[in-house]
Amino acid sequence: MPELADKQPSSGEGALTAGCLLLLVLVADVAAGLLVGIVLAVRGLGRKDARSGQTPTSMPPLDWAPVLGYGALTLAVGVTAVVLLRIGHRVVGTVQLTLCVFLAILTLGSWP
């Protein structure tokens, strides 16, 4: 194993690895965000049809699905950021933490 310890990756390889990892993580986050958005949109359509029989003065029931969906997405992005920071990918982890903060604000904004 000493030959593996002696080999240090060049800065070009490190930058390429970090860039590919950043792209992969961001694509996964976008896919998860789209999944949450599609699920919430389909739920909203179902609620709109069910609400047509109610009187206009009645209060619609609370819907916790957006808070739970955005909260789960925020938690996944936050955990990914911490793991990336722990393994040494500071730039990618920082981008993930920034995305996590924006998602946390979105989650708090959807609070009923």
Side-chain angles (χ1 to χ4, degrees):
M1 288 291 169
E3 62 274 358
L4 292 177
D6 292 336
K7 183 182 177 190
Q8 295 292 329
S10 67
S11 63
E13 287 179 11
L16 180 65
T17 303
C20 289
L21 184 62
L22 175 63
L23 183 65
L24 182 67
V25 168
L26 287 178
V27 166
D29 289 341
V30 167
L34 285 174
L35 180 65
V36 169
I38 289 170
V39 168
L40 291 177
V42 168
R43 279 185 50 85
L45 289 175
R47 285 178 48 103
K48 188 171 113 176
D49 292 339
R51 204 180 314 157
S52 62
Q54 293 180 346
T55 63
T57 59
S58 66
M59 189 76 173
L62 288 177
D63 186 17
W64 289 96
V67 176
L68 294 175
Y70 292 138
L73 185 61
T74 303
L75 181 65
V77 169
V79 168
T80 305
V82 169
V83 167
L84 287 169
L85 287 171
R86 295 280 294 172
I87 63 173
H89 291 283
R90 297 199 188 279
V91 174
V92 181
T94 304
V95 170
Q96 282 291 102
L97 276 179
T98 305
L99 186 62
C100 181
V101 168
F102 289 133
L103 284 171
I105 291 170
L106 180 68
T107 301
L108 290 175
S110 66
W111 195 278

